[in-house]
Amino acid sequence: MAAPFDLNDDSVVVIIGTGAGGGVLANELAQKGVSVVALEAGGRHLPEDFINDEWESFGQLAWLDPRTTSGDWRVAKDFSGLPAWIVKSVGGTTQHWAGASLRFQEHEWKAATTYGNVQGASLLDWPIDAAEMDPWYTKAEDKLGVTRTGDRPGLPGNNNYKVFEAGAKALGYKEVHTGRMAINSDENRDRAMCQQTGFCFQGCKWGAKWSAGYVDIPQGEATGNLEVRSQAHVARILHDDTGKVTGVEYFDADGNLQMQKARVVCVAGNSFESPRLLLNSASSMFPDGLANSSGQVGRNYMRHMTGSVYAVFDKPVRFWRGTTMAGIIQDEARHDPSRGFVGGYELETLALGLPFMAAFLDPGAWGREFTSALDEYENMAGMWIVGEDMPQETNRVTLNHDVKDQYGLPVANVHFDDHPNDIAMRNHAYKQGAAVYDAVGATRTFPTPPYPSTHNLGTNRMSENARDGVVNKWGQTHDIANLFISDGSQFTTGAAENPTLTIVALAIRQADHLASELSKGNI
Amino acid sequence: MTQTTGPKGLSRRQLLSRATAAGASFVVGTGFMAAKDAAWAMETSALKPETFATLVQMARDIYPHDKVGDEYYVVAVKGYDTPEAAGGIEAGIAALNAAAQGKGHASYLDAAWERDRVDILRGMEDSAFFQQIRGGLVTGLYNQKAVWPIFGYEGSSFEFGGYIDRGFNDINWL
Ligand SMILES: Cc1cc2nc3c(=O)[nH]c(=O)nc-3n(C[C@H](O)[C@H](O)[C@H](O)COP(=O)(O)OP(=O)(O)OC[C@H]3O[C@@H](n4cnc5c(N)ncnc54)[C@H](O)[C@@H]3O)c2cc1C
Ligand code: SF4
């Protein structure tokens, strides 16, 4: 049967969320002839709709339903109702993302083995490794059109990059380039070439940057096998007496509750909403929530060790011009405990417009120390730090029954405490980042605290043994054979690299596995 | 003050205030920007004129930019000049003046040096009133499009074809 599908059609695969994980899975399954209904809480926003204005774009695309926070992380104080900067739209957070697309390093698949016992950390090896993932990474790089992979040239460096590169070279860093970016660097592809508009975080109006929203979703729909229902917020996953999932309940665009039957359900709502949905689906058979016999649903929340370093120079940089994040130093990504921490970090160029710089440079700060920095906005350069953070059982998403969303459902509370390893790594990175800029004559540098989390990982983690996590190496829940997790919440550990290429590679791999199991009648 | 309604009926004011740390946050329209004449802009409808003048000074002392004219600070706090907001603002400014008197000044505005006014503000920076004003300014001041050029920020670039031919890599001093 061709899309659209009937609510009672129990042969379809239902995918919840259409971001990096869900959007890619939907397209890949549709390409293989599988019938898919994708339910997306957000609306449809295409390149022509995007807005070159930070706050307006944020209002258009960001996830603003209520959430609460706790823990010692500074975000809980500065942005207590906004633990994450993620998107509610067809295409999910790939609408806002910058496009940095890096593979994990080989040892990062085996963090527990490589790092040994780290007190307070719930490290675990992934049940898959670099060799297993290599072909899937290649497919993901081809899909996203990642620069400096395949035959794709790198992007040209913008002003922010040139400062960053000169400083990095002066310091002796070797692995410095304009990044592996899911942004088109030449004319001869199916997407437009990057025009250096500098609003990558606001959705690329040229479509030069890959987004599931305007690349994978339309491709899937063109097969006739994919139906995307936007403004469809899934409230609960349903199951039968045998413990198999049978469908989902969702609120449609008019706020009416609907029920869609399903043969398989794949959850891809990002790392807060995915565990929240499993927990909100508790029943008399599964009183602690679906797929939660291990008690691991919602635990081991990771957000990457992040921070930024901004610097002021005595001459103009105009760092907002051009790609937001096309620049990287990889020398510190290695695992080298002699630095005082396990794991590593990447340094990546980053620019914010004046409105976001005012909000994020030093949240809560005021007075001349703060404003004299903004006075030099034109002379600023900036970089973002992204490193591996330690999974901790107590960093977790739970239901906050005291706060309800617009549908009356308990919201996610996000608890996060920094691990001492995260703090040691951040301090090291602040020093190195400042040194990069000092090497080219910075007059002032700023160790800027983490923003609301853009990378959200690990709350339904992948594990060899059912007792240690929520899903197996295919993203299939250990407890329920026809329930899958397809987003960043599967991550066993976070590695130093931006996560999306890995989310996409896992989704392509999962689609392959799922289609084959479906055709064999195993699910 | 513009109150464009966002998706699902959330006003922009609601979304911005959810996004900024604390307190109310006003999205400022360009309507006031015609009012280069500070005297016009200082006219109030709900607040006492001296309260509003003190509020404007307070705004400048929180985020002092010597190259940014008063009219932008006026616009940034003009949204408080409403019957709903006035009570809280009058009370807050009264507390500010009381704090100034506690430090030997006749009023907040009477403290002539910025360092004296900042000292008064430091003493009340954890108060809900201070945080409301400061939080609101983050967007009220820096999200005024008319302020951006003063800082060199160029804003939207799509309509000009991006920076590919307009200096994305024009740095010449390295
Ligand atoms: C500003 C910014 C820059 C970034 N830059 C990079 C980068 O350079 N490189 C990189 O690797 N990563 C980057 N990221 C992170 C990247 O975007 C995310 O890691 C990735 O998109 C996560 O994929 P996901 O599938 O887990 O979730 P998402 O892409 O967030 O998709 C989840 C979707 O599920 C929907 N949803 C949630 N709950 C429900 C429900 N109950 N019912 C229906 N739908 C639901 C949401 O609306 C959303 O559309 C960036 C993120 C941001 C915000
Ligand atoms: S800089 Fe390039 S990728 Fe980023 S928004 Fe502009 S055109 Fe798109």
Side-chain angles (χ1 to χ4, degrees):
Chain A
M1 189 185 151
F5 300 101
D6 194 89
L7 289 172
N8 288 312
D9 186 342
D10 60 5
S11 73
V12 300
V13 172
V14 164
I15 299 176
I16 302 160
T18 56
V24 168
L25 179 67
N27 180 24
E28 293 288 316
L29 285 175
Q31 300 296 334
K32 292 174 195 296
V34 177
S35 299
V36 178
V37 173
L39 301 171
E40 167 55 56
R44 232 180 243 257
H45 304 280
L46 296 172
E48 58 267 32
D49 307 321
F50 295 148
I51 310 166
N52 273 193
D53 179 302
E54 290 178 312
W55 283 119
E56 242 183 284
S57 169
F58 190 82
Q60 179 188 43
L61 297 172
W63 180 285
L64 296 161
D65 296 6
R67 286 170 174 146
T68 59
T69 46
S70 55
D72 72 12
W73 56 328
R74 192 167 151 182
V75 168
K77 173 173 159 276
D78 294 337
F79 304 97
S80 60
L82 195 84
W85 173 4
I86 43 187
V87 172
K88 185 199 248 193
S89 162
V90 173
T93 313
T94 64
Q95 302 274 56
H96 263 188
W97 81 315
S101 301
L102 304 172
R103 295 184 180 208
F104 278 22
Q105 301 166 79
E106 191 163 350
H107 68 266
E108 289 171 328
W109 295 101
K110 304 293 161 198
T113 303
T114 311
Y115 305 156
N117 184 29
V118 178
Q119 210 187 348
S122 48
L123 285 168
L124 195 67
D125 288 347
W126 287 68
I128 48 183
D129 60 17
E132 160 76 24
M133 288 305 291
D134 178 66
W136 305 106
Y137 267 139
T138 302
K139 285 184 205 292
E141 286 162 347
D142 289 343
K143 172 190 286 289
L144 271 51
V146 178
T147 59
R148 285 200 175 77
T149 70
D151 63 349
R152 290 165 289 260
L155 285 159
N158 68 351
N159 290 335
N160 197 28
Y161 174 73
K162 288 185 167 180
V163 174
F164 176 87
E165 183 193 47
K169 297 217 159 133
L171 269 195
Y173 281 139
K174 298 280 180 300
E175 293 173 71
V176 187
H177 54 79
T178 58
R180 296 192 175 80
M181 305 299 295
I183 295 178
N184 211 356
S185 56
D186 61 17
E187 303 276 9
N188 314 311
R189 315 273 164 192
D190 44 6
R191 300 197 311 259
M193 187 177 94
C194 172
Q195 303 297 307
Q196 304 286 342
T197 48
F199 284 87
C200 308
F201 279 0
Q202 282 68 42
C204 177
K205 287 190 75 70
W206 306 92
K209 182 187 83 177
W210 176 83
S211 162
Y214 50 78
V215 180
D216 277 75
I217 291 296
Q219 282 173 5
E221 286 173 326
T223 65
N225 299 321
L226 168 63
E227 180 190 350
V228 177
R229 290 181 208 150
S230 57
Q231 291 179 277
H233 183 106
V234 178
R236 202 152 68 105
I237 302 169
L238 307 169
H239 65 81
D240 63 16
D241 297 345
T242 70
K244 279 183 61 176
V245 299
T246 53
V248 303
E249 277 179 353
Y250 68 94
F251 289 95
D252 68 16
D254 300 319
N256 297 318
L257 195 61
Q258 306 284 357
M259 203 266 278
Q260 172 66 53
K261 291 192 174 165
R263 180 173 175 191
V264 173
V265 172
C266 300
V267 184
N270 207 320
S271 297
F272 297 161
E273 295 308 311
S274 290
R276 175 183 176 222
L277 185 56
L278 296 180
L279 296 172
N280 267 333
S281 302
S283 63
S284 52
M285 189 170 182
F286 300 115
D288 299 325
L290 295 188
N292 198 19
S293 65
S294 62
Q296 292 287 312
V297 169
R299 291 189 185 273
N300 309 302
Y301 167 57
M302 295 172 286
R303 60 181 308 268
H304 272 140
M305 182 290 294
T306 69
S308 309
V309 178
Y310 294 99
V312 162
F313 296 85
D314 57 354
K315 296 187 196 70
V317 179
R318 303 195 179 96
F319 71 152
W320 62 87
R321 293 182 181 177
T323 41
T324 304
M325 198 172 257
I328 193 165
I329 298 170
Q330 302 208 267
D331 298 69
E332 300 287 0
R334 69 193 191 279
H335 168 59
D336 171 7
S338 75
R339 291 174 298 181
F341 52 87
V342 301
Y345 61 88
E346 315 271 355
L347 299 172
E348 301 172 350
T349 54
L350 174 67
L352 298 179
L354 183 74
F356 273 15
M357 189 57 80
F360 294 129
L361 176 66
D362 188 5
W366 59 277
R368 281 203 188 259
E369 184 187 0
F370 178 77
T371 55
S372 61
L374 287 185
D375 280 335
E376 303 306 319
Y377 177 75
E378 225 177 335
N379 297 5
M380 271 190 183
M383 69 171 81
W384 195 54
I385 304 162
V386 50
E388 179 157 14
D389 61 341
M390 289 295 108
Q392 302 180 72
E393 285 226 313
T394 48
N395 284 347
R396 64 188 291 206
V397 171
T398 53
L399 296 179
N400 184 342
H401 290 277
D402 298 330
V403 181
K404 305 278 165 65
D405 69 5
Q406 63 270 41
Y407 306 109
L409 301 166
V411 307
N413 182 70
V414 184
H415 181 94
F416 190 89
D417 300 314
D418 278 312
H419 187 277
N421 196 75
D422 307 346
I423 295 169
M425 190 193 288
R426 183 177 294 119
N427 288 336
H428 190 272
Y430 278 152
K431 277 209 186 82
Q432 294 308 111
V436 165
Y437 290 134
D438 286 339
V440 276
T443 54
R444 207 172 150 193
T445 58
F446 308 89
T448 291
Y451 315 127
S453 316
T454 55
H455 299 176
N456 297 281
L457 307 166
T459 50
N460 293 305
R461 74 177 178 179
M462 194 182 273
S463 64
E464 185 75 53
N465 295 312
R467 64 170 185 274
D468 297 327
V470 179
V471 300
N472 67 16
K473 66 176 181 172
W474 301 110
Q476 180 180 36
T477 62
H478 288 300
D479 294 355
I480 302 175
N482 65 340
L483 177 62
F484 286 72
I485 306 292
S486 315
D487 60 10
S489 69
Q490 297 173 79
F491 277 37
T492 310
T493 52
E497 292 73 26
N498 315 55
T500 305
L501 184 75
T502 303
I503 297 174
V504 169
L506 287 170
I508 301 172
R509 177 173 168 275
Q510 186 180 70
D512 196 64
H513 173 75
L514 191 51
S516 130
E517 290 296 290
L518 286 169
S519 69
K520 288 186 208 142
N522 289 345
I523 303 176
Chain B
M1 195 174 78
T2 5
Q3 286 254 318
T4 341
T5 301
K8 290 230 155 124
L10 267 184
S11 72
R12 276 187 59 201
R13 179 181 162 190
Q14 282 170 301
L15 2 132
L16 291 181
S17 64
R18 200 168 280 174
T20 48
S25 151
F26 290 89
V27 178
V28 181
T30 46
F32 293 112
M33 298 320 298
K36 270 283 179 187
D37 177 352
W40 180 90
M42 293 296 278
E43 268 176 29
T44 57
S45 56
L47 290 170
K48 290 188 214 147
E50 58 276 24
T51 301
F52 191 65
T54 308
L55 186 60
V56 171
Q57 184 63 54
M58 178 186 178
R60 181 179 282 288
D61 292 335
I62 293 174
Y63 290 123
H65 293 286
D66 298 339
K67 58 186 179 180
V68 174
D70 266 352
E71 61 268 31
Y72 304 100
Y73 291 95
V74 167
V75 167
V77 295
K78 193 75 186 172
Y80 296 112
D81 184 25
T82 62
E84 307 80 63
I89 299 296
E90 292 289 356
I93 294 295
L96 181 66
N97 281 325
Q101 281 151 16
K103 291 185 188 281
H105 308 283
S107 68
Y108 183 75
L109 283 180
D110 204 52
W113 283 97
E114 180 180 314
R115 64 165 177 266
D116 291 334
R117 296 191 303 273
V118 165
D119 185 46
I120 296 163
L121 292 175
R122 285 276 168 229
M124 60 186 295
E125 70 178 327
D126 293 329
S127 70
F129 173 67
F130 179 90
Q131 287 303 331
Q132 176 192 9
I133 302 302
R134 191 204 58 73
L137 282 169
V138 174
T139 47
L141 183 62
Y142 299 108
N143 205 32
Q144 286 182 51
K145 283 195 170 70
V147 163
W148 296 350
I150 303 173
F151 293 88
Y153 181 50
E154 296 167 291
S156 180
S157 83
F158 171 74
E159 58 273 47
F160 307 111
Y163 292 104
I164 194 161
D165 299 319
R166 295 192 311 130
F168 79 100
N169 59 357
D170 65 357
I171 195 163
N172 58 10
W173 53 262
L174 278 166

